[in-house]
Amino acid sequence: MKVAQHLGSDRLEKPVSTLALIPKTAAITRVGRQAYTVMLLIARDQGREDTDTGMFSAPLNTVIRGFEGNVSASNDLKKHLRSMVTHVVEWQSPSPSETIEWGACALLSEVRLFKKNGENWLSWAYPPSLRQEMLNPQRYAQIRRSTIAQFRTHAGLALYEICARYKDNPSHMTSKQHWQWWLPVLTGKPIPDEIKTEFRFFNRDTIKPAVDEVNEISELTVTVREHKVGRTVEYLQFEVYKKAETQDVSAQPVNFVEVVHAQQLGIDIEVAEDLYLRYGAFIFGKAVQRLAARIAMPGTPVFSRHAYLKVLLSGRAIDGAQSPAEGASTVEHIEKPPTRLVNNVAEQRFDKLRERESERVKKVRAEIEELNAQSLVLLLDEFKAHLTTRHMPPTVMQRLADGKWQSALVMGELIRFYWKKSRGSEWMGAEMLPNGQIN
């Protein structure tokens, strides 16, 4: 079965009652939550259960690919699936007035793993009281599958899904809740009879990292708002806005040179990839160059290179030694690509070529994703041997070894490799030369 056939759209309308899950008997994991959302997307696309089994079903590999899981996720998924049936959660909307509480029940009423034509398949069913809400929600948050796949913590993922509910709300504010209400919702862990956690530790270890992850990965910008009673923080809200639309570079092959350069400067490879995809090749490359130049300067060292790079990408001036004019000039240089001194005809031609190449990338990527399991394994084996002969950076090889062939760092090279393999010719893209001509 083809992955795209099962997953359908990247956007999902997730019921509000599934956003603020409060576990009662065991923890909810990040992988479990990601898999559950992908399964909902598949069920929604199928529309109704199979008439013979009374359950939804899909290849297990489709679910794993849906949240870009690696080999480890595949090995652990059976444990997560079992927990969806056995562990009790309390269902409720993050806004108390939006819907009645569901009480307590399991995430799934039944789940099965079986072999079909030599491939592992998964079947599942929802509790009766939840089925209609899952398939046809009256109130929902619109989230992106491609976004939830990037989260690495449950807290960040849970906060993203809740905040997505409010991105179009006139107030742009989530409901105000006591911070202890947010504790199990974000950590994914049941509340003990006696809460010994202090707010300052919850804020340091969970809230701030979750906000940073949402702002880094998603299409949202989130800010926490604390409400005090006297001198003590009692309630929390989150202010939510959509980021300005940026050029979609997710389908473009990644110029891994700058990504690897960032890693050599001490930036985590997955963070580098995410920032590359969010800001684009030009802005990311210039920011990495500035970071390298700053590190090479004598004097006070850069204590947090991740933070420094993110501030560079945000367009804010950093170094106090710069004059305001210098800082503004530098920021403007990063925010705006250089002016192309070409006439309108050449400019239009370039745009058409770039659009044509983007379509070609999407087409080739779709062909790869639609390969059956056996063909995909053979392709990836050949691709790995090809990269070995080219002495690719260890980072690229490690991503491939981890099963993350859909990673932006790998996909660009894989698209070119598959193009030559299937068409017999080199990939010739429309690339802009420094003098403004088109290659």
Side-chain angles (χ1 to χ4, degrees), residues 20-303:
L21 299 178
I22 297 181
K24 293 297 182 180
T25 57
I28 301 173
T29 66
R30 184 261 304 175
V31 171
R33 188 165 184 142
Q34 286 172 320
Y36 191 74
T37 300
V38 172
M39 291 161 67
L40 174 57
L41 184 64
I42 295 172
R44 191 80 57 76
D45 190 56
Q46 293 180 0
R48 60 181 180 181
E49 297 88 341
D50 181 81
T51 53
D52 294 332
T53 64
M55 303 173 74
F56 297 100
S57 62
L60 183 62
N61 193 39
T62 299
V63 176
I64 296 170
R65 288 191 196 177
F67 63 90
E68 299 179 13
N70 54 23
V71 176
S72 174
S74 176
N75 295 336
D76 292 341
L77 191 54
K78 186 175 181 180
K79 176 182 65 177
H80 297 302
L81 292 170
R82 184 185 296 112
S83 72
M84 293 180 196
V85 177
T86 59
H87 297 162
V88 177
V89 297
E90 183 178 293
W91 302 77
Q92 59 178 283
S93 167
S95 295
S97 61
E98 279 195 319
T99 183
I100 62 173
E101 292 187 1
W102 286 96
C105 63
L107 292 166
L108 298 174
S109 61
E110 185 177 354
V111 63
R112 295 178 185 172
L113 286 171
F114 60 97
K115 287 278 188 179
K116 181 178 178 181
N117 298 326
E119 187 177 15
N120 289 319
W121 274 65
L122 169 68
S123 290
W124 68 95
Y126 297 106
S129 59
L130 293 176
R131 179 188 177 280
Q132 183 60 29
E133 178 69 6
M134 299 296 280
L135 298 183
N136 187 27
Q138 299 303 306
R139 297 178 182 273
Y140 55 82
Q142 191 175 76
I143 62 176
R144 297 179 182 177
R145 179 189 60 82
S146 56
T147 299
I148 70 165
Q150 299 180 61
F151 281 93
R152 297 172 188 86
T153 68
H154 178 275
L157 177 57
L159 183 61
Y160 163 70
E161 292 186 354
I162 291 173
C163 288
R165 176 70 183 91
Y166 301 90
K167 65 179 183 289
D168 296 315
N169 190 294
S171 71
H172 296 280
M173 298 290 289
T174 68
S175 176
K176 183 169 70 172
Q177 302 280 6
H178 195 279
W179 70 265
Q180 291 184 357
W181 180 91
W182 291 98
L183 183 62
V185 169
L186 295 185
T187 62
K189 299 177 181 179
I191 304 178
D193 294 334
E194 182 182 355
I195 297 179
K196 297 181 180 180
T197 303
E198 296 182 29
F199 170 75
R200 56 178 176 150
F201 298 124
F202 175 51
N203 187 43
R204 180 195 66 191
D205 299 335
T206 304
I207 297 174
K208 287 184 177 179
V211 169
D212 288 344
E213 190 173 24
V214 171
N215 290 337
E216 176 186 321
I217 289 174
S218 78
E219 67 278 9
L220 307 178
T221 297
V222 173
T223 305
V224 63
R225 300 300 183 198
E226 299 177 353
H227 297 271
K228 293 184 177 181
V229 176
R231 301 177 62 181
T232 305
V233 174
E234 293 287 344
Y235 298 92
L236 297 177
Q237 276 182 293
F238 294 88
E239 188 174 14
V240 188
Y241 286 94
K242 291 187 289 188
K243 292 175 183 172
E245 291 294 328
T246 57
Q247 181 185 1
D248 180 15
V249 296
S250 61
Q252 300 293 337
V254 172
N255 176 5
F256 64 87
V257 174
E258 289 297 349
V259 176
V260 172
H261 185 197
Q263 185 191 27
Q264 293 170 343
L265 296 176
I267 304 299
D268 179 79
I269 186 60
E270 294 188 348
V271 172
E273 281 191 57
D274 291 337
L275 294 175
Y276 179 100
L277 291 175
R278 188 198 301 181
Y279 292 97
F282 177 80
I283 295 177
F284 179 80
K286 297 301 292 183
V288 170
Q289 292 172 21
R290 281 194 64 195
L291 173 62
R294 175 62 182 83
I295 292 173
M297 290 174 60
T300 305
V302 179
F303 292 105

Side-chain angles (χ1 to χ4, degrees), residues 346-389:
E347 194 168 306
Q348 291 173 7
R349 180 167 173 256
F350 173 80
D351 291 338
K352 288 181 179 179
L353 286 172
R354 184 173 58 184
E355 182 179 350
R356 195 179 308 152
E357 182 177 10
S358 177
E359 290 301 318
R360 184 171 54 162
V361 167
K362 292 178 181 177
K363 179 181 179 180
V364 175
R365 179 167 185 162
E367 290 179 16
I368 295 172
E369 292 178 340
E370 290 175 0
L371 292 173
N372 60 43
Q374 184 178 2
S375 299
L376 180 61
V377 169
L378 291 175
L379 174 65
L380 294 178
D381 286 343
E382 292 181 33
F383 179 56
K384 184 176 181 179
H386 167 73
L387 294 185
T388 302
T389 61

